[in-house]
Amino acid sequence: MRIHGIVWLILLFASLLLSPLIVSPEHYRGLIAAEMMQTGTGYGARESLEINRRGDALYRLLMVKTGFESALTASAVPSAPANDLIMNTVERAGHVRQLESVVLGYTPGLLQSFYLFCLRLSHSWCWFAWLSPFLAALILDGLMTRRAKLRSFEYTHPTVYNLSWHLIIAVFAASLVAYSLVASLPLLLFPAVWVFSGTLLRMLISNIQHSA
Amino acid sequence: MLISEYSAEGRTGLAVMRRVLRHHRRYQQSTILFVSWPNMRLMAMRACWYLSPYLFVEGENLLARALSRAFEEANDPSRCWTDEEHRSFVLTLQDELVPWLSRIIVYVRKRGDDWVVWDYEKPLMNLLQELGREAVEVKLADAPKNAEGIRLKLLSHICTASDVEIARIGFSSDGATLGTQGQYPVEGAR
């Protein structure tokens, strides 16, 4: 289970850290603006602003207050166009020019990559708040089912229990990796993650072993 | 020529910008804008280098007030991650600075007892370094100077061509600037 979690964690950080090498900051900006527009048309202006506000707060907490943002930009290269203007006067080989644009756009792209991730986490949290009664009902149902099984001498299934654990980790981790991807995500993905996880949680609780 | 973020001037400008924004509690607000517009950080840094943190008008720091208002204006949620954020930042910055710069005269004391007038040709921080940074005095001019010339000089020191293009700032041949946000109310300076 630990290895399973670590593999997903590596995938998440690889996606967050390596995407800015492939995607330009302008592309990130367009994607974030499109995602904000999508939430605006899907949920309305008030909810969309609330998601943005929480995303901003999360970004500040994770990146600014911890000092990562200052450390990244202290010696950083935030402006590709300005540097292009200066560097165009110097002769370089073609492959060096290609690498330059990747390197110059990395730091702003990385910050935007983290911002996009925070914005999607905020979006997901918005659905958690809405679905929490449903999730609470699933947990209660799981507890009741387990108690009924024990009272009626029915077996709890260790296989289902283990499978549920692994699937919950996989669903949560895969959703985190998906939130870090530089691709437009459908709005339905965000509630679907919670609903699917809730159903798995119910299976997990209803199959906790008798000795536990 | 625009100062580079790699140079000693650029690093000092960034340090001044951080200190000014932190002191006026605008740093948190500005970080999200810097994510959406990385060039905004460079513009703010160049403005810090061009004006220096030593100019005071009406008892307020001119640079801090201009940056605070520019970030406040750009931070409007309705402009989130659009070109309007960038445009409002550049326009507010110039609208805050140009009227004052056209109404004041900045004297810098050289080593000894001579005073030099800042003519906006080079950043004030450069002038202060060259002259030994002994003292700065700000006085109201008898007659206002040509604001358009000062605006051009200011923009040339803080913006790249692409910044001006994104902000959609234009200049007509009769001297009127296209894309500004109205008249400049200027009162007494100190």
Side-chain angles (χ1 to χ4, degrees):
Chain A
M1 215 170 284
R2 191 183 299 161
I3 291 170
H4 189 182
I6 288 170
V7 168
W8 281 110
L9 206 62
I10 290 169
L11 274 176
L12 172 67
F13 276 97
S15 170
L16 280 171
L17 300 177
L18 300 181
S19 303
L21 288 174
I22 306 160
V23 182
S24 70
E26 287 72 31
H27 185 89
Y28 269 112
R29 190 185 302 127
L31 183 69
I32 293 170
E35 203 133 306
M36 285 177 175
M37 198 172 283
Q38 191 187 27
T39 52
T41 48
Y43 309 139
R46 203 168 65 90
E47 278 74 15
S48 177
L49 273 179
E50 191 58 28
I51 289 171
N52 296 353
R53 196 187 56 75
R54 264 201 309 266
D56 288 359
L58 187 61
Y59 176 84
R60 286 192 192 112
L61 183 73
L62 293 179
M63 297 297 287
V64 182
K65 288 199 174 155
T66 52
F68 280 121
E69 190 262 356
S70 299
L72 279 169
T73 54
S75 57
V77 197
S79 149
N83 286 300
D84 279 351
L85 288 174
I86 296 162
M87 288 180 161
N88 281 340
T89 57
V90 184
E91 285 283 325
R92 282 106 62 223
H95 66 280
V96 177
R97 275 178 175 273
Q98 281 178 354
L99 277 177
E100 271 169 14
S101 62
V102 169
V103 172
L104 290 175
Y106 183 74
T107 312
L110 185 67
L111 294 176
Q112 288 171 342
S113 162
F114 276 100
Y115 182 82
L116 179 66
F117 185 64
C118 292
L119 188 73
R120 284 169 170 171
L121 283 182
S122 158
H123 188 167
S124 181
W125 176 256
C126 170
W127 272 107
F128 176 75
W130 277 98
L131 292 172
S132 52
F134 168 74
L135 294 173
L138 280 174
I139 291 169
L140 194 69
D141 187 49
L143 287 170
M144 290 298 127
T145 310
R146 180 174 179 270
R147 186 165 286 188
K149 276 182 181 177
L150 295 179
R151 286 278 166 88
S152 60
F153 301 104
E154 198 181 328
Y155 289 114
T156 52
H157 298 279
T159 318
V160 175
Y161 174 83
N162 272 318
L163 188 70
S164 302
W165 248 132
H166 278 282
L167 279 175
I168 285 173
I169 293 172
V171 168
F172 266 107
S175 68
L176 288 181
V177 173
Y179 296 162
S180 70
L181 289 180
V182 195
S184 188
L185 299 180
L187 286 183
L188 270 180
L189 177 78
F190 296 90
V193 168
W194 287 114
V195 171
F196 196 48
S197 307
T199 314
L200 289 170
L201 194 62
R202 183 202 163 278
M203 284 167 64
L204 176 91
I205 292 170
S206 65
N207 287 290
I208 295 172
Q209 296 304 288
H210 183 54
S211 57
Chain B
M1 188 175 161
L2 292 172
I3 60 165
S4 157
E5 60 270 32
Y6 303 112
S7 60
E9 288 96 337
R11 285 175 182 279
T12 312
L14 278 174
V16 169
M17 183 196 76
R18 284 209 181 98
R19 190 164 290 187
V20 166
L21 292 178
R22 286 209 170 105
H23 184 71
H24 289 83
R25 299 179 187 282
R26 295 283 173 195
Y27 191 73
Q28 298 274 327
Q29 190 184 40
S30 66
T31 47
I32 303 293
L33 290 165
F34 291 156
V35 176
S36 80
W37 292 101
N39 275 7
M40 214 180 264
R41 184 196 305 273
L42 293 182
M43 282 192 283
M45 173 266 278
R46 291 189 203 111
C48 291
W49 188 255
Y50 185 67
L51 287 163
S52 85
Y54 308 120
L55 293 187
F56 282 78
V57 287
E58 286 183 333
E60 266 190 283
N61 188 311
L62 183 63
L63 176 72
R65 189 170 73 170
L67 283 178
S68 295
R69 294 215 176 137
F71 282 119
E72 197 176 355
E73 194 67 32
N75 208 35
D76 187 333
S78 64
R79 300 191 178 112
C80 240
W81 289 76
T82 62
D83 287 2
E84 290 305 312
E85 270 184 347
H86 187 282
R87 177 175 158 78
S88 63
F89 177 79
V90 178
L91 290 182
T92 313
L93 201 58
Q94 69 163 19
D95 287 1
E96 285 291 325
L97 294 174
V98 172
W100 279 112
L101 292 178
S102 66
R103 286 293 187 93
I104 58 172
I105 301 176
V106 180
Y107 297 93
V108 180
R109 195 169 77 181
K110 285 165 70 172
R111 289 188 187 89
D113 206 22
D114 297 332
W115 291 83
V116 172
V117 174
W118 182 39
D119 57 2
Y120 308 118
E121 280 302 318
K122 62 173 80 170
L124 184 56
M125 288 288 271
N126 280 122
L127 193 67
L128 290 168
Q129 277 184 345
E130 284 170 19
L131 300 180
R133 200 185 295 186
E134 288 220 345
V136 178
E137 192 172 332
V138 180
K139 284 184 178 172
L140 262 184
D142 295 333
K145 289 168 269 182
N146 177 12
E148 286 307 303
I150 294 170
R151 183 198 316 284
L152 278 169
K153 194 49 82 177
L154 176 77
L155 289 177
S156 72
H157 274 99
I158 66 174
C159 297
T160 63
S162 70
D163 290 328
V164 174
E165 192 184 336
I166 295 166
R168 302 196 306 281
I169 295 174
F171 297 91
S172 69
S173 56
D174 61 0
T177 305
L178 307 174
T180 57
Q181 294 175 323
Q183 297 298 310
Y184 302 128
V186 174
E187 287 146 26
R190 200 168 69 191

